[in-house]
Amino acid sequence: MWNDYGYIEDSRRASYDLGLLRRLAGYTRPYIRLLALVSFLILGGTLMDLILPYLTKVAIDRYIVVAHYSLDEQKAGDRAGPALNRAKSKLKPSGRPGLSFLADHDLRSLDPEDRNALRTSGALSSHTWYLADPGKEDVARLIERRPDLFALYPRIAAVSASNLEKLTAQDIIQLRAVDLAGLVWVALTALSVLLLGYGFGVGHTILLEYVGQRLAHDLRQRLTAHILKQPMAFHDRTLTGRLVARVTGDVQNLGEMIKSVAVTFFSDVFIVLGIMAVMVWLDWKLALATFVLLPVVVGVSVVFGRLARDVFREIRAKAAEINAAVGEAVAGLRVVQAFRREEHDAKIFARLNHDNFLAGMRQIRVFGLFMPVIELIGSAALALVLWSGGRGVLEETITLGVVVAFIGYIRKLFQPIRDLAEKFNILQSAMASLERIFGLMDQDHSLPQAACPVVLASGGGGIVFDRVSFGYPDGPKVLDGLSFDLEPGWTLAIVGPTGAGKTSIISLLLRFYDPQEGRILVDGVDIRDLSQNDHRRRLGLVMQDVFMFNGSVAENIALAREGYSIDAVQAAARAVGADGFIRVLPQGYDQELGEGGRILSVGQRQLISLARILYQKPQILLLDEATAFIDSESELLIEKALETLTAGRTSILVAHRLSTIRRADRILVLGRGRAMESGTHEELLARDGLYKKLYQLQFIGNGAAGPPPGGPHP
């Protein structure tokens, strides 16, 4: 869209279009195997993340908080008998008939009714014991020193929890050697899980970023090829900056999304689902109590998404306005300073900059509200786990290790939500860019190509315009039934007032456009029946405003074709009179011209363009106002070069300066898109028509006694 400061991107868009994502997914087909490997690595990394809190539970319940209850099976009776039978698989026999021990974590896993039955029957002791293997050497020595603290059974030595306080630290180490070894095993397992998780994470990050960069590379390649094949009619109504933004900024946004968002998105999804599954498996009641807050999180995220989307749109629009304003001011700096607009432009920028600042502050307020709310919900979930889990520990329905594991899982559960908030800006920009990229790729205005193109033999280059009518899109008719023919090897000069259609003839002959009516023949074949590449290979164009590429002089003459001959380049430059000034350049033919060839004068650039044509050796030469903006001295050099170029070639010269067409075999005078006159210079002057009026205006009307020095009458 346009405003007072030029073009800006219209950032309005609907919600996420899954069709765009599906279309993007179509570009992933060459990388399916890599993506399958990425999925495996993500699953592996997710599994490692899920294991770590569970190892904490194991360490607490199995090796740190270790307590057993004695169970007298004879006291169970008929009332607690069924409960005892259901607990049989969890009992640890003491070696004395009728006496077993039940671990605290196994007791908490029993049905509450079974647990209550065992307690009320008196079968289950009210105090806890620590069990040791009397066959262990360290345990045996400790029992020998402190026999008063132990209850000995054939298989087990039991010490009451209250008597553990009477043991020294060294005694505890001897007694709990098995638990300490178990903790070492848990620690080593945790370290291995961390290393594996790191490896999985590095692997899936690198591979997914590689796929992302390849996707961006492929998309940029296809988009550029699509743009380059579009006809001039498309480029006439499409801003160059907009196309550049699609190929650079929009594709870069997409790559940034894949790198910063997609890399974490899939792993976050797996982590969230995995955490929820593990929490339900550990204790479904505590898990459901925690999940009560998830609808609140979803609701807050939806509200934040809407607010953030609006503020990001505004920020992008303001940033685009600033870029347009600065770009316009810098591009027109000479005019700005010459007409003393510095203060005016500074005020415009100050207003835009302040608007951008206010939009940025709105973004900060949105994030400043959302992030603490998410933290608050996370803290509320943590408090809920502590309250509900702590109550379960006191009621013996859950172990301390499960509560600690839940705390770890809660922290991991809310991390992906915070990640989403941090990446939301990138995600929004990428979706908008994706929409614009595919929108551009869907616009295909390329000219129709012949299914079976005619292959021309080496003809002479004869040209025929047969009742050609043409008008630019949304514009008036430029050519109206124009007909003329040009014999092979002849030179045709086309003159006429501004807007008569001279340049349009060149554009049609190059097939930048197709005529609405009529046809154009080259060597008797309609150019629409020729291969476009083969047809243009036979044409050489010298434009009014010569374009120089960012490269050396030699590369600009050879158009950087692979394997070009420097001898042929120098020969072409000598033939058109460009060798002299090229050799005085600091690096000669290796001199870098920079953007647009600014180190050269207009005449020097024109001579290089003529050398470019001679190096290409076209069959048909097209010159469009080739001497419009050069001085008289340069014009003489170019005229000599043109004599070399046009020799033996079919040539069409479009010119305002009539002095440049005096050697033409035929002159075509255009007016309002039609051929008003045609003939040689002398014939046209004798007719007292439009050509004579143009001649008088250019020479006699300017007070000249005749044509400019350096040659006969035009």
Side-chain angles (χ1 to χ4, degrees):
M1 59 179 294
W2 287 88
N3 64 5
D4 295 338
Y5 316 105
Y7 177 80
I8 64 171
E9 292 286 2
D10 186 358
S11 57
R12 295 172 297 174
R13 69 182 307 277
S15 58
Y16 296 112
D17 187 351
L18 294 179
L20 294 176
L21 296 178
R22 284 194 296 268
R23 188 169 176 182
L24 178 63
Y27 287 84
T28 65
R29 287 180 186 139
Y31 313 105
I32 290 297
R33 292 184 179 179
L34 278 178
L35 290 175
L37 179 58
V38 167
S39 299
F40 170 77
L41 294 175
I42 289 176
L43 285 173
T46 301
L47 182 61
M48 297 303 105
D49 281 340
L50 297 177
I51 288 176
L52 285 173
Y54 182 76
L55 288 176
T56 305
K57 171 196 175 300
V58 172
I60 293 173
D61 290 343
R62 299 281 182 177
Y63 304 112
I64 297 177
V65 182
V66 181
H68 289 78
Y69 293 88
S70 62
L71 183 63
D72 190 341
E73 299 178 14
Q74 296 178 356
K75 293 181 180 181
D78 294 336
R79 179 182 176 186
L84 179 61
N85 290 332
R86 285 189 286 270
K88 280 284 187 183
S89 61
K90 303 179 185 296
L91 297 180
K92 186 173 185 178
S94 66
R96 193 180 80 179
L99 181 65
S100 301
F101 287 89
L102 182 63
D104 177 71
H105 59 271
D106 288 330
L107 176 66
R108 295 172 187 269
S109 66
L110 294 178
D111 185 273
E113 293 185 1
D114 289 346
R115 189 169 55 246
N116 184 60
L118 292 174
R119 285 194 183 282
T120 56
S121 67
L124 194 67
S125 65
S126 60
H127 59 278
T128 59
W129 301 81
Y130 178 80
L131 305 182
D133 183 0
K136 297 286 186 181
E137 184 177 351
D138 290 342
V139 176
R141 286 200 302 266
L142 180 59
I143 293 173
E144 185 178 346
R145 286 192 297 106
R146 300 297 303 270
D148 56 311
L149 300 181
F150 289 88
L152 296 177
Y153 303 99
R155 296 185 183 179
I156 291 174
V159 56
S160 175
S162 59
N163 286 334
L164 286 174
E165 299 176 359
K166 299 176 182 180
L167 296 173
T168 65
Q170 186 61 35
D171 292 339
I172 294 294
I173 292 175
Q174 289 180 344
L175 181 66
R176 304 195 64 177
V178 174
D179 294 333
L180 292 175
L183 287 176
V184 171
W185 175 84
V186 171
L188 291 176
T189 302
L191 179 60
S192 301
V193 167
L194 284 172
L195 292 176
L196 278 174
Y198 174 77
F200 284 132
V202 170
H204 97 252
T205 299
I206 291 176
L207 287 179
L208 196 54
E209 287 204 22
Y210 170 79
V211 173
Q213 292 302 319
R214 290 296 307 179
L215 282 177
H217 169 274
D218 296 346
L219 200 57
R220 185 181 291 114
Q221 191 75 23
R222 185 170 297 188
L223 184 61
T224 302
H226 176 78
I227 291 172
L228 292 178
K229 77 174 185 179
Q230 297 305 304
M232 289 298 111
F234 168 82
H235 292 281
D236 287 342
R237 58 177 180 267
T238 307
L239 295 174
T240 302
R242 189 176 185 181
L243 298 177
V244 172
R246 296 292 172 271
V247 175
T248 56
D250 283 330
V251 175
Q252 183 64 34
N253 283 344
L254 184 61
E256 187 67 23
M257 180 194 74
I258 296 171
K259 181 177 71 174
S260 301
V261 180
V263 169
T264 60
F265 175 76
F266 292 104
S267 59
D268 287 345
V269 169
F270 284 120
I271 286 175
V272 169
L273 295 177
I275 287 175
M276 294 176 68
V278 172
M279 290 172 71
V280 171
W281 175 66
L282 286 176
D283 192 283
W284 66 271
K285 292 181 180 178
L286 185 56
L288 292 181
T290 306
F291 296 161
V292 168
L293 294 175
L294 289 183
V296 180
V297 174
V298 173
V300 171
S301 300
V302 169
V303 173
F304 163 76
R306 291 175 180 174
L307 294 175
R309 184 161 51 243
D310 293 339
V311 74
F312 285 140
R313 287 172 181 168
E314 184 177 5
I315 287 175
R316 286 199 300 270
K318 297 302 179 184
E321 290 182 6
I322 287 178
N323 291 338
V326 173
E328 183 183 71
V330 172
L333 189 60
R334 294 177 184 271
V335 177
V336 169
Q337 293 182 351
F339 288 88
R340 305 178 306 282
R341 275 180 54 100
E342 296 94 338
E343 184 176 349
H344 176 267
D345 285 3
K347 288 180 179 179
I348 291 177
F349 180 80
R351 178 168 61 82
L352 293 175
N353 196 29
H354 184 67
D355 290 343
N356 185 62
F357 164 76
L358 294 178
M361 291 305 299
R362 282 189 285 275
Q363 175 192 5
I364 292 173
R365 284 195 293 271
V366 170
F367 274 92
L369 178 64
F370 174 74
M371 296 302 289
V373 168
I374 293 298
E375 292 291 341
L376 181 62
I377 296 174
S379 299
L382 185 60
L384 189 59
V385 168
L386 290 174
W387 176 79
S388 183
R391 183 176 177 180
V393 171
L394 295 177
E395 295 177 351
E396 297 183 341
T397 60
I398 193 172
T399 65
L400 179 62
V402 170
V403 175
V404 174
F406 260 73
I407 292 174
Y409 286 128
I410 285 294
R411 295 180 186 276
K412 289 181 175 292
L413 184 63
F414 282 87
Q415 184 60 44
I417 300 173
R418 289 188 285 268
D419 289 343
L420 177 62
E422 294 172 359
K423 308 298 184 185
F424 195 85
N425 187 16
I426 298 174
L427 190 60
Q428 281 289 121
S429 297
M431 290 302 297
S433 295
L434 197 59
E435 185 179 53
R436 292 193 289 262
I437 288 171
F438 286 137
L440 177 57
M441 293 183 71
D442 289 338
Q443 300 180 42
D444 191 358
H445 304 275
S446 54
L447 297 176
Q449 302 298 313
C452 298
V454 177
V455 178
L456 275 178
S458 55
I463 298 172
V464 175
F465 270 60
D466 182 17
R467 295 167 294 179
V468 172
S469 295
F470 171 72
Y472 293 99
D474 303 323
K477 185 176 289 188
V478 177
L479 300 178
D480 187 9
L482 177 64
S483 295
F484 69 86
D485 59 89
L486 181 61
E487 295 293 332
W490 281 32
T491 297
L492 172 68
I494 302 176
V495 299
T498 300
K502 303 184 295 295
T503 299
S504 298
I505 292 176
I506 301 293
S507 297
L508 289 173
L509 190 54
L510 284 162
R511 212 188 169 204
F512 289 158
Y513 310 88
D514 275 343
Q516 282 85 37
E517 299 176 14
R519 57 181 184 156
I520 302 171
L521 308 178
V522 172
D523 288 333
V525 179
D526 193 321
I527 61 174
R528 287 173 289 198
D529 296 329
L530 298 173
S531 165
Q532 187 166 280
N533 288 334
D534 290 342
H535 171 60
R536 288 176 179 170
R537 189 178 292 116
R538 305 175 72 205
L539 305 176
L541 173 66
V542 180
M543 296 180 290
Q544 175 180 333
D545 185 13
V546 178
F547 185 84
M548 293 285 116
F549 293 93
N550 187 13
S552 67
V553 173
E555 289 172 340
N556 268 277
I557 293 175
L559 289 179
R561 287 187 171 89
E562 293 184 5
Y564 68 86
S565 167
I566 188 63
D567 293 334
V569 167
Q570 294 174 353
R574 284 193 298 270
V576 299
D579 183 71
F581 80 82
I582 292 175
R583 291 193 177 278
V584 300
L585 294 174
Q587 298 178 26
Y589 282 88
D590 294 325
Q591 177 68 46
E592 294 290 326
L593 297 182
E595 184 180 357
R598 294 177 180 176
I599 67 171
L600 303 178
S601 68
V602 175
Q604 288 172 334
R605 292 200 295 269
Q606 199 66 272
L607 286 173
I608 287 180
S609 73
L610 295 176
R612 177 187 293 170
I613 297 299
L614 191 59
Y615 179 87
Q616 182 182 341
K617 299 178 180 179
Q619 189 177 30
I620 300 173
L621 183 63
L622 308 174
L623 295 99
D624 187 6
E625 305 282 3
T627 60
F629 299 136
I630 58 176
D631 54 72
S632 298
E633 182 178 356
S634 298
E635 183 178 355
L636 291 175
L637 291 174
I638 292 173
E639 285 186 16
K640 291 181 180 179
L642 289 178
E643 291 181 14
T644 302
L645 282 175
T646 57
R649 289 186 175 90
T650 304
S651 304
I652 295 181
L653 285 71
V654 173
H656 275 119
R657 293 188 181 185
L658 302 187
S659 59
T660 62
I661 62 172
R662 59 183 179 270
R663 294 185 179 87
D665 298 300
R666 185 180 173 193
I667 299 173
L668 179 67
V669 184
L670 292 183
R672 298 179 181 178
R674 298 179 180 179
M676 307 298 289
E677 296 175 303
S678 178
T680 63
H681 168 67
E682 290 76 11
E683 291 173 347
L684 294 176
L685 284 181
R687 293 178 188 173
D688 197 21
L690 178 58
Y691 180 81
K692 185 175 182 179
K693 292 180 181 179
L694 293 173
Y695 171 80
Q696 291 173 339
L697 286 173
Q698 189 166 135
F699 296 122
I700 300 176
N702 290 331
H713 286 284

